Amino acid sequence: TVVNPGIVNPGPDIKVFFQNVQGLIPFGELKNEHPLLDTAKSGELRLYLSDRKIDIAVLNETWLKKSVLDSEILPSSQYQIFRKDRCNRTHPPDPTNPSKFRRNGGGVLIAVRNDLKLTCKEIKLGGGAEISAVEFTTPTGSKFIICTCYRVGTLGADNHDSIVGSLRDMLRRRRLSKIFLMGDFNLNSISWGDLTADTQIERTFIDSFTDLGLSQCVNHPTHRGGRLLDIVLTNAVQTISDLKVLDEDSACRSDHFPIEFNIKINVGKNKPKKRTSYNFKTANWEGLNYDLCHSNWDAMLLCTEPEEGWSRFKSRLFQLADLHIKKATVKTDGQDPWFDSECHDLWRKKNKLRAKAKRTGGDEDMLKFSLARKNLKKLIAKKMRENLCVSDGSNLITKKFWSYVKSASTSSRIPEFVGYQGV
């Protein structure tokens, strides 16, 4: 029987991204209870997810701690995050072999775009393993599960039993659900073609996956060392399409390669909200300047309290801005406010140089790629810093207004204070 999946599942597929990112905080911050986020690396990852229009992003080895907010990792306006950071419950120490236990590191994360027409519910799982799962329900009532697991390679039978027990419990309670499990299982000696392995623990995993009806879909190495460590398992192979292992550093720096694939499930997206914004390219600056100079500031500002004076000044300013600056309707797509054409252009340039360096293998091309990547990280950090210091909200004077003040004065910088008749 020949089946056309486009008829069975019309509409757009769900685009899934997976990678062991090898830490979203710097290695030197691992032991810090309140670590600093690696903003350059997380920014690079954000650019990738935005450029590739990823619907569901799944990460291993996040290295995060509870002091790091979800909104610091990915914009809350764009993604809903489900994560499990390493703790004693998910990664308990082995009393018989303390060297197996690493208190810091690990961690798993599932991020889902907010505009997908799906309802999401995190599945509660037992302890003993770094595993997380989210159940999705489509508008038609069909369900599927995205699950991820990070397994430290030195862990043995107890960890296996915890992982398989969680999977078995999920599938038993949700018999009709499709499941898509991905993670760095560190099962490096398994030959997935004929399902053989060198070690007993790996053979045990093969038997368990087979008993659960899960098939492994990745056929190429996913690690710099030439090993297949990151796998995608599912009980619905026919719904996976376009699975590919991407080049090293395609998304962010890691010794693990990213994996992308589509899930053939018809899920629509909510239309992006629209908002109005000043179109400064059409501004009548001369008219605005004239009206500001000829406003009766004495009547508005003299003998008023500072807060009342500020409110009156702001009201007059935006009244004149509305008069002399046209507004445009723009879509709110959840994009980071610091992401602009400069970031996008450098991102695309870096990707072209990376592809060329891989194709030629030349030292000069590799050096150009490395330099472009460093410049991109610096630019991301700069844009994010600037965004923290500037707001375009209606309660503050915009950066572009102050840019005009700067250009129309003899000062070389934006003033810290604005005075009127010596006040």
Side-chain angles (χ1 to χ4, degrees), residues 119-285:
T119 57
C120 312
K121 179 183 179 181
E122 187 170 18
I123 300 173
K124 294 183 179 180
L125 302 172
E130 293 185 275
I131 183 170
S132 180
V134 178
E135 184 178 61
F136 299 87
T137 305
T138 70
T140 60
S142 62
K143 298 183 179 183
F144 66 96
I145 295 171
I146 295 289
C147 180
T148 186
C149 176
Y150 172 64
R151 173 185 172 271
V152 177
T154 56
L155 298 181
D158 289 344
N159 179 251
H160 161 272
D161 294 344
S162 297
I163 294 172
V164 174
S166 294
L167 295 174
R168 203 179 299 279
D169 186 51
M170 263 194 298
L171 292 172
R172 183 174 61 250
R173 287 185 291 149
R174 296 165 172 82
R175 293 182 181 179
L176 300 179
S177 291
K178 301 180 180 71
I179 184 170
F180 303 91
L181 166 64
M182 60 211 80
D184 174 12
F185 280 81
N186 280 297
L187 302 171
N188 59 336
S189 81
I190 291 181
S191 172
W192 291 102
D194 55 11
L195 297 181
T196 59
D198 295 341
T199 66
Q200 179 58 46
I201 188 65
E202 290 176 323
R203 287 191 288 271
T204 304
F205 267 104
I206 291 174
D207 292 340
S208 297
F209 292 150
T210 302
D211 291 343
L212 292 169
L214 300 177
S215 301
Q216 206 284 112
C217 303
V218 181
N219 299 317
H220 301 286
T222 62
H223 188 266
R224 185 185 300 161
R227 295 171 291 172
L228 202 170
L229 301 181
D230 308 280
I231 57 179
V232 176
L233 297 142
T234 182
N235 60 357
V237 175
Q238 72 281 2
T239 63
I240 287 184
S241 67
D242 300 325
L243 188 149
K244 50 186 175 289
V245 178
L246 306 178
D247 296 337
E248 183 178 358
D249 297 338
S250 294
C252 62
R253 183 171 292 278
S254 173
D255 56 6
H256 291 253
F257 307 154
I259 298 172
E260 267 190 30
F261 61 93
N262 294 333
I263 300 177
K264 297 177 185 176
I265 294 178
N266 181 25
V267 174
K269 292 185 179 180
N270 297 311
K271 292 183 179 180
K273 296 180 181 179
K274 295 182 179 181
R275 61 182 175 84
T276 57
S277 177
Y278 287 120
N279 184 0
F280 289 96
K281 292 181 180 179
T282 66
N284 177 11
W285 295 115

Side-chain angles (χ1 to χ4, degrees), residues 304-344:
T304 60
E305 293 295 323
E307 289 185 2
E308 177 63 22
W310 165 246
S311 177
R312 292 181 181 183
F313 172 76
K314 183 179 65 173
S315 176
R316 178 60 175 166
L317 173 62
F318 283 104
Q319 179 188 13
L320 295 177
D322 291 340
L323 181 64
H324 294 287
I325 307 174
K326 293 181 180 179
K327 289 187 176 182
T329 301
V330 295
K331 292 181 179 180
T332 303
D333 58 0
Q335 180 63 61
D336 288 297
W338 51 264
F339 179 78
D340 56 16
S341 59
E342 189 178 4
C343 285
H344 185 260

